[in-house]
Amino acid sequence: MTDSEKKDRIRYVESLLTENGAIDAKIQPRGQGKDEKRTIFWFNGNYYRLGEVTFDGIDDPYIVVSCTDTKKYAEYGLFDDVHAFEYTLSDEETKTEIRFAMGIEDLFTS
Amino acid sequence: MKISFDLDEVLFVSPDTYEVEPELRFPLNRMFPERLRKGTVWLINELHKRGFEVWVYTSSFRTEVYIRSLFRQYGVKFDQIVNGYRHKAEVQGDREMTLPQKMPQHYRISLHIDDEDAIIQNARIYGFRAMQVYEPDPDWAQKIIDEAERIRKLEEGK
Ligand SMILES: [Mg+2]
């Protein structure tokens, strides 16, 4: 997957956040450069941000959903990673994962 | 009736010494490395089913978001979470005297489950109910259910 394909995918997942009721929290974390600007969303008392995460020994990066319930932490860019999934999931699978991350739906993990 | 659980050495245990719940799938197992004592998922869900309110009361500084997210991956929900920050803000406040690291009665918790001797001693001194759980015990979950039911009866009989 190219960088631009990954960017498009993240944009798609952000649109899913909005589709499920999240709104732009209009927070620009301190010390964050313009080019790495990522939207912080607000939904049901929590702030969400999407990003990319890699793991030791694994080549493929994952989309990570980060979250905090504290506005001050969001302003400082202090989030907990709460869920992660593959860039390559289907749209349907991605919708399920994002709804789980937002606390809307439960997943049955094994 | 409210029942609360300590995390470390009670619900979070080492797989080297304890039987544990199945590991989360990759990459969630890397994001949430804590392993749950075997029976945790059944126990918390069973307590909810029986009408108990189930809380976490930990002196660790893991965030509420982290704790909730970890347990959600296992299909487990808590009614409320008291971590080190919340205890400091709500229980300790600006009192001059340092209070014990856990005061379940502040939240009207009827039974607290913990591994630490100090907490069990504090229960006697400060007048809250605590049950000690630490070493591997295949019946630990059932024992907690039995104790919770016993206390519920006592409280109802008051
Ligand atoms: Mg402990």
PDB file of all heavy atoms in Angstrom, chain B residues 6-12 57-59 101-102 112-116 119 133, ligand 1:
ATOM      1  N   ASP B   6      -9.795  -4.856  42.767  1.00  0.00           N
ATOM      2  CA  ASP B   6      -8.437  -4.405  42.520  1.00  0.00           C
ATOM      3  C   ASP B   6      -8.008  -5.042  41.189  1.00  0.00           C
ATOM      4  O   ASP B   6      -8.593  -6.040  40.763  1.00  0.00           O
ATOM      5  CB  ASP B   6      -7.562  -4.915  43.676  1.00  0.00           C
ATOM      6  CG  ASP B   6      -6.096  -4.672  43.451  1.00  0.00           C
ATOM      7  OD1 ASP B   6      -5.738  -3.610  42.915  1.00  0.00           O
ATOM      8  OD2 ASP B   6      -5.298  -5.553  43.827  1.00  0.00           O
ATOM      9  N   LEU B   7      -7.013  -4.471  40.527  1.00  0.00           N
ATOM     10  CA  LEU B   7      -6.563  -5.052  39.256  1.00  0.00           C
ATOM     11  C   LEU B   7      -5.328  -5.942  39.429  1.00  0.00           C
ATOM     12  O   LEU B   7      -5.396  -7.156  39.226  1.00  0.00           O
ATOM     13  CB  LEU B   7      -6.280  -3.950  38.233  1.00  0.00           C
ATOM     14  CG  LEU B   7      -7.508  -3.169  37.748  1.00  0.00           C
ATOM     15  CD1 LEU B   7      -7.091  -2.088  36.744  1.00  0.00           C
ATOM     16  CD2 LEU B   7      -8.531  -4.105  37.101  1.00  0.00           C
ATOM     17  N   ASP B   8      -4.198  -5.329  39.817  1.00  0.00           N
ATOM     18  CA  ASP B   8      -2.944  -6.086  39.822  1.00  0.00           C
ATOM     19  C   ASP B   8      -2.953  -7.208  40.860  1.00  0.00           C
ATOM     20  O   ASP B   8      -3.273  -6.979  42.018  1.00  0.00           O
ATOM     21  CB  ASP B   8      -1.763  -5.134  40.056  1.00  0.00           C
ATOM     22  CG  ASP B   8      -1.570  -4.199  38.864  1.00  0.00           C
ATOM     23  OD1 ASP B   8      -1.285  -4.698  37.760  1.00  0.00           O
ATOM     24  OD2 ASP B   8      -1.748  -2.976  39.040  1.00  0.00           O
ATOM     25  N   GLU B   9      -2.641  -8.391  40.381  1.00  0.00           N
ATOM     26  CA  GLU B   9      -2.613  -9.615  41.202  1.00  0.00           C
ATOM     27  C   GLU B   9      -4.007 -10.124  41.591  1.00  0.00           C
ATOM     28  O   GLU B   9      -4.121 -11.096  42.325  1.00  0.00           O
ATOM     29  CB  GLU B   9      -1.765  -9.446  42.478  1.00  0.00           C
ATOM     30  CG  GLU B   9      -0.313  -9.847  42.297  1.00  0.00           C
ATOM     31  CD  GLU B   9       0.448  -8.938  41.355  1.00  0.00           C
ATOM     32  OE1 GLU B   9       0.633  -7.755  41.679  1.00  0.00           O
ATOM     33  OE2 GLU B   9       0.834  -9.424  40.277  1.00  0.00           O
ATOM     34  N   VAL B  10      -5.053  -9.411  41.123  1.00  0.00           N
ATOM     35  CA  VAL B  10      -6.405  -9.946  41.350  1.00  0.00           C
ATOM     36  C   VAL B  10      -7.010 -10.329  39.993  1.00  0.00           C
ATOM     37  O   VAL B  10      -7.187 -11.507  39.703  1.00  0.00           O
ATOM     38  CB  VAL B  10      -7.297  -8.955  42.116  1.00  0.00           C
ATOM     39  CG1 VAL B  10      -8.738  -9.469  42.191  1.00  0.00           C
ATOM     40  CG2 VAL B  10      -6.756  -8.758  43.525  1.00  0.00           C
ATOM     41  N   LEU B  11      -7.304  -9.328  39.157  1.00  0.00           N
ATOM     42  CA  LEU B  11      -7.813  -9.629  37.815  1.00  0.00           C
ATOM     43  C   LEU B  11      -6.676  -9.720  36.803  1.00  0.00           C
ATOM     44  O   LEU B  11      -6.743 -10.491  35.847  1.00  0.00           O
ATOM     45  CB  LEU B  11      -8.828  -8.575  37.377  1.00  0.00           C
ATOM     46  CG  LEU B  11     -10.074  -8.424  38.251  1.00  0.00           C
ATOM     47  CD1 LEU B  11     -11.054  -7.418  37.633  1.00  0.00           C
ATOM     48  CD2 LEU B  11     -10.777  -9.760  38.487  1.00  0.00           C
ATOM     49  N   PHE B  12      -5.617  -8.911  36.997  1.00  0.00           N
ATOM     50  CA  PHE B  12      -4.427  -9.013  36.137  1.00  0.00           C
ATOM     51  C   PHE B  12      -3.408  -9.905  36.840  1.00  0.00           C
ATOM     52  O   PHE B  12      -2.955  -9.574  37.947  1.00  0.00           O
ATOM     53  CB  PHE B  12      -3.776  -7.638  35.927  1.00  0.00           C
ATOM     54  CG  PHE B  12      -4.619  -6.638  35.181  1.00  0.00           C
ATOM     55  CD1 PHE B  12      -4.324  -5.283  35.238  1.00  0.00           C
ATOM     56  CD2 PHE B  12      -5.701  -7.035  34.401  1.00  0.00           C
ATOM     57  CE1 PHE B  12      -5.086  -4.344  34.549  1.00  0.00           C
ATOM     58  CE2 PHE B  12      -6.478  -6.109  33.710  1.00  0.00           C
ATOM     59  CZ  PHE B  12      -6.167  -4.751  33.792  1.00  0.00           C
ATOM     60  N   TYR B  57     -11.482  -0.722  41.454  1.00  0.00           N
ATOM     61  CA  TYR B  57     -10.858   0.232  42.394  1.00  0.00           C
ATOM     62  C   TYR B  57      -9.378  -0.136  42.462  1.00  0.00           C
ATOM     63  O   TYR B  57      -8.999  -1.108  43.090  1.00  0.00           O
ATOM     64  CB  TYR B  57     -11.522   0.137  43.768  1.00  0.00           C
ATOM     65  CG  TYR B  57     -11.270   1.338  44.686  1.00  0.00           C
ATOM     66  CD1 TYR B  57     -12.183   1.646  45.689  1.00  0.00           C
ATOM     67  CD2 TYR B  57     -10.151   2.150  44.552  1.00  0.00           C
ATOM     68  CE1 TYR B  57     -11.989   2.740  46.547  1.00  0.00           C
ATOM     69  CE2 TYR B  57      -9.945   3.241  45.386  1.00  0.00           C
ATOM     70  CZ  TYR B  57     -10.870   3.528  46.388  1.00  0.00           C
ATOM     71  OH  TYR B  57     -10.674   4.611  47.214  1.00  0.00           O
ATOM     72  N   THR B  58      -8.571   0.629  41.753  1.00  0.00           N
ATOM     73  CA  THR B  58      -7.146   0.327  41.659  1.00  0.00           C
ATOM     74  C   THR B  58      -6.344   1.541  42.103  1.00  0.00           C
ATOM     75  O   THR B  58      -6.790   2.670  41.904  1.00  0.00           O
ATOM     76  CB  THR B  58      -6.757  -0.036  40.203  1.00  0.00           C
ATOM     77  OG1 THR B  58      -5.331  -0.155  40.109  1.00  0.00           O
ATOM     78  CG2 THR B  58      -7.201   1.028  39.198  1.00  0.00           C
ATOM     79  N   SER B  59      -5.193   1.308  42.708  1.00  0.00           N
ATOM     80  CA  SER B  59      -4.367   2.478  43.024  1.00  0.00           C
ATOM     81  C   SER B  59      -3.383   2.756  41.895  1.00  0.00           C
ATOM     82  O   SER B  59      -2.562   3.664  41.976  1.00  0.00           O
ATOM     83  CB  SER B  59      -3.654   2.320  44.365  1.00  0.00           C
ATOM     84  OG  SER B  59      -3.427   0.991  44.670  1.00  0.00           O
ATOM     85  N   GLN B 101      -4.734   3.926  50.822  1.00  0.00           N
ATOM     86  CA  GLN B 101      -4.767   3.990  49.350  1.00  0.00           C
ATOM     87  C   GLN B 101      -6.111   3.583  48.761  1.00  0.00           C
ATOM     88  O   GLN B 101      -6.375   3.855  47.584  1.00  0.00           O
ATOM     89  CB  GLN B 101      -3.640   3.168  48.758  1.00  0.00           C
ATOM     90  CG  GLN B 101      -3.538   1.754  49.316  1.00  0.00           C
ATOM     91  CD  GLN B 101      -2.585   0.895  48.502  1.00  0.00           C
ATOM     92  OE1 GLN B 101      -2.554   0.997  47.292  1.00  0.00           O
ATOM     93  NE2 GLN B 101      -1.825   0.046  49.172  1.00  0.00           N
ATOM     94  N   LYS B 102      -6.962   2.956  49.571  1.00  0.00           N
ATOM     95  CA  LYS B 102      -8.312   2.644  49.081  1.00  0.00           C
ATOM     96  C   LYS B 102      -9.320   2.836  50.209  1.00  0.00           C
ATOM     97  O   LYS B 102      -9.089   2.392  51.333  1.00  0.00           O
ATOM     98  CB  LYS B 102      -8.391   1.203  48.575  1.00  0.00           C
ATOM     99  CG  LYS B 102      -7.746   1.029  47.230  1.00  0.00           C
ATOM    100  CD  LYS B 102      -7.673  -0.402  46.778  1.00  0.00           C
ATOM    101  CE  LYS B 102      -6.737  -0.477  45.575  1.00  0.00           C
ATOM    102  NZ  LYS B 102      -6.353  -1.864  45.277  1.00  0.00           N
ATOM    103  N   HIS B 112     -15.090  -5.160  48.657  1.00  0.00           N
ATOM    104  CA  HIS B 112     -13.939  -4.893  47.794  1.00  0.00           C
ATOM    105  C   HIS B 112     -13.040  -6.140  47.767  1.00  0.00           C
ATOM    106  O   HIS B 112     -12.777  -6.740  48.801  1.00  0.00           O
ATOM    107  CB  HIS B 112     -13.157  -3.682  48.311  1.00  0.00           C
ATOM    108  CG  HIS B 112     -11.876  -3.451  47.559  1.00  0.00           C
ATOM    109  ND1 HIS B 112     -11.857  -3.022  46.248  1.00  0.00           N
ATOM    110  CD2 HIS B 112     -10.576  -3.646  47.918  1.00  0.00           C
ATOM    111  CE1 HIS B 112     -10.594  -2.942  45.842  1.00  0.00           C
ATOM    112  NE2 HIS B 112      -9.797  -3.317  46.827  1.00  0.00           N
ATOM    113  N   ILE B 113     -12.578  -6.490  46.580  1.00  0.00           N
ATOM    114  CA  ILE B 113     -11.730  -7.674  46.410  1.00  0.00           C
ATOM    115  C   ILE B 113     -10.298  -7.220  46.163  1.00  0.00           C
ATOM    116  O   ILE B 113     -10.053  -6.435  45.239  1.00  0.00           O
ATOM    117  CB  ILE B 113     -12.193  -8.532  45.200  1.00  0.00           C
ATOM    118  CG1 ILE B 113     -13.718  -8.714  45.180  1.00  0.00           C
ATOM    119  CG2 ILE B 113     -11.452  -9.854  45.152  1.00  0.00           C
ATOM    120  CD1 ILE B 113     -14.292  -9.474  46.332  1.00  0.00           C
ATOM    121  N   ASP B 114      -9.347  -7.705  46.951  1.00  0.00           N
ATOM    122  CA  ASP B 114      -7.964  -7.227  46.834  1.00  0.00           C
ATOM    123  C   ASP B 114      -6.984  -8.336  47.219  1.00  0.00           C
ATOM    124  O   ASP B 114      -7.357  -9.287  47.901  1.00  0.00           O
ATOM    125  CB  ASP B 114      -7.757  -6.022  47.754  1.00  0.00           C
ATOM    126  CG  ASP B 114      -6.760  -5.024  47.188  1.00  0.00           C
ATOM    127  OD1 ASP B 114      -5.552  -5.352  47.154  1.00  0.00           O
ATOM    128  OD2 ASP B 114      -7.197  -3.925  46.780  1.00  0.00           O
ATOM    129  N   ASP B 115      -5.748  -8.190  46.786  1.00  0.00           N
ATOM    130  CA  ASP B 115      -4.734  -9.191  47.145  1.00  0.00           C
ATOM    131  C   ASP B 115      -3.885  -8.736  48.330  1.00  0.00           C
ATOM    132  O   ASP B 115      -3.205  -9.543  48.957  1.00  0.00           O
ATOM    133  CB  ASP B 115      -3.803  -9.476  45.954  1.00  0.00           C
ATOM    134  CG  ASP B 115      -2.991  -8.254  45.564  1.00  0.00           C
ATOM    135  OD1 ASP B 115      -3.621  -7.229  45.249  1.00  0.00           O
ATOM    136  OD2 ASP B 115      -1.752  -8.314  45.589  1.00  0.00           O
ATOM    137  N   GLU B 116      -3.898  -7.428  48.642  1.00  0.00           N
ATOM    138  CA  GLU B 116      -2.912  -6.908  49.594  1.00  0.00           C
ATOM    139  C   GLU B 116      -3.334  -7.001  51.054  1.00  0.00           C
ATOM    140  O   GLU B 116      -4.435  -6.601  51.416  1.00  0.00           O
ATOM    141  CB  GLU B 116      -2.590  -5.455  49.254  1.00  0.00           C
ATOM    142  CG  GLU B 116      -1.497  -5.361  48.208  1.00  0.00           C
ATOM    143  CD  GLU B 116      -1.110  -3.933  47.916  1.00  0.00           C
ATOM    144  OE1 GLU B 116      -0.822  -3.195  48.873  1.00  0.00           O
ATOM    145  OE2 GLU B 116      -1.116  -3.580  46.740  1.00  0.00           O
ATOM    146  N   ILE B 119      -4.597  -3.752  52.655  1.00  0.00           N
ATOM    147  CA  ILE B 119      -5.988  -3.371  52.378  1.00  0.00           C
ATOM    148  C   ILE B 119      -6.936  -4.140  53.306  1.00  0.00           C
ATOM    149  O   ILE B 119      -7.906  -3.588  53.824  1.00  0.00           O
ATOM    150  CB  ILE B 119      -6.349  -3.669  50.900  1.00  0.00           C
ATOM    151  CG1 ILE B 119      -5.373  -2.972  49.941  1.00  0.00           C
ATOM    152  CG2 ILE B 119      -7.807  -3.289  50.603  1.00  0.00           C
ATOM    153  CD1 ILE B 119      -5.517  -1.495  49.810  1.00  0.00           C
ATOM    154  N   VAL B 133      -8.018 -12.119  47.815  1.00  0.00           N
ATOM    155  CA  VAL B 133      -7.846 -13.114  46.760  1.00  0.00           C
ATOM    156  C   VAL B 133      -6.437 -12.945  46.257  1.00  0.00           C
ATOM    157  O   VAL B 133      -6.054 -11.846  45.881  1.00  0.00           O
ATOM    158  CB  VAL B 133      -8.831 -12.838  45.597  1.00  0.00           C
ATOM    159  CG1 VAL B 133      -8.415 -13.558  44.338  1.00  0.00           C
ATOM    160  CG2 VAL B 133     -10.246 -13.249  45.978  1.00  0.00           C
TER     161      VAL B 133
HETATM  162 MG    MG C   1      -3.236  -5.628  43.842  1.00  0.00          MG
END
